Amino acid sequence: MSSTRERALDAAVTLVGTEGVRALTHGRVDAAASLPPGSTSNHFRTRAALLAGVIEWMAVQERADAGIPEIHSREQLIGALTRMIEAQSGPLAARTRARYALFLEADEDAAGPLRAQRAGMEQWVRGILHELGGEAAAAHTAFLMATGDGLLLHRITVDPEAPIEAAITQAVTAALRA
C-alpha cells in the first residue's frame, strides 16, 4: 500500500503529464489521489515545495524503473534504447509529458534532479558508445541522445505508433561508424 505522500506524488505526476504544470495545485492533487482535502499540503506546504517534490519523485521513480541493462553489442544497444522509448511513450507517457513540462517551467534549482537523471543517462550512453566504438563513437553521444529525444517527443505528441527501431538502428550505426 502506498503512503499518502506517494499517492499524492503519483497523482501530481499524472496531473502535470495530462493537464500541464498550471494544473498542479494542492486541491487538485488531493482530488486526483482520492485523498481528504489538505492531505497534500500536510506534506508540501507551498506550491514550490510540491513542485520540487514532484520533480524529485519523478527522478526517483525513473531511477527505480530504469533497469539499465549491461550492453556489449550494437544489437543490445538498439534493443535497449528501443524498449526505453516504447515504455516512455507508452505506459509511462504521462510521466514523460510531465518531465517535459517541468523541464520547461521549473526553475534551475527545482529541475536539478531531472537534469542529473538526464546526465546519468547521457553518461551511460557515452560509456557504451566508447566501449563499442572508441572515442570517435563516444563523441556522437549527443547525436544519439537527440535522435532518441526526437522519437520520444514525436510519439507522445504526434504519432504514438511511430516506428522506433529503424531510426535507432540508423542512429547507432552512424554513431559507431564514426
Side-chain angles (χ1 to χ4, degrees):
M1 181 87 174
S2 299
S3 71
T4 300
R5 182 179 188 280
E6 290 169 340
R7 287 175 52 204
L9 288 168
D10 283 338
V13 169
T14 300
L15 190 63
V16 172
T18 57
E19 298 183 37
V21 176
R22 287 177 178 76
L24 186 66
T25 67
H26 291 84
R28 302 246 349 241
V29 172
D30 286 341
S34 299
L35 295 170
S39 297
T40 300
S41 62
N42 284 336
H43 296 281
F44 307 97
R45 294 288 183 197
T46 65
R47 185 173 189 281
L50 177 57
L51 186 62
V54 168
I55 290 170
E56 179 62 32
W57 180 248
M58 285 176 54
V60 166
Q61 292 302 302
E62 288 179 349
R63 283 190 299 272
D65 291 346
I68 304 281
E70 287 198 29
I71 305 293
H72 301 289
S73 72
R74 172 186 167 278
E75 292 71 26
Q76 287 176 332
L77 179 57
I78 291 166
L81 293 175
T82 298
R83 286 187 300 279
M84 287 176 188
I85 293 169
E86 286 171 346
Q88 293 294 324
S89 62
L92 302 174
R95 185 169 70 192
T96 300
R97 286 186 196 94
R99 182 184 333 101
Y100 284 142
L102 292 166
F103 264 126
L104 293 172
E105 297 199 29
D107 65 38
E108 190 65 32
D109 288 338
L114 291 177
R115 293 192 195 294
Q117 189 74 11
R118 168 66 183 203
M121 179 68 175
E122 190 170 327
Q123 182 179 4
W124 178 72
V125 169
R126 185 180 323 293
I128 293 167
L129 289 176
H130 188 272
E131 178 185 329
L132 297 178
E135 194 57 41
H140 294 296
T141 301
F143 163 72
L144 184 54
M145 295 289 291
T147 300
D149 288 341
L151 284 167
L152 183 55
L153 184 60
H154 183 73
R155 283 179 60 100
I156 66 166
T157 59
V158 177
D159 181 3
E161 300 301 319
I164 301 167
E165 188 171 3
I168 291 297
T169 298
Q170 190 171 14
V172 168
T173 300
L176 293 176
R177 212 179 285 141

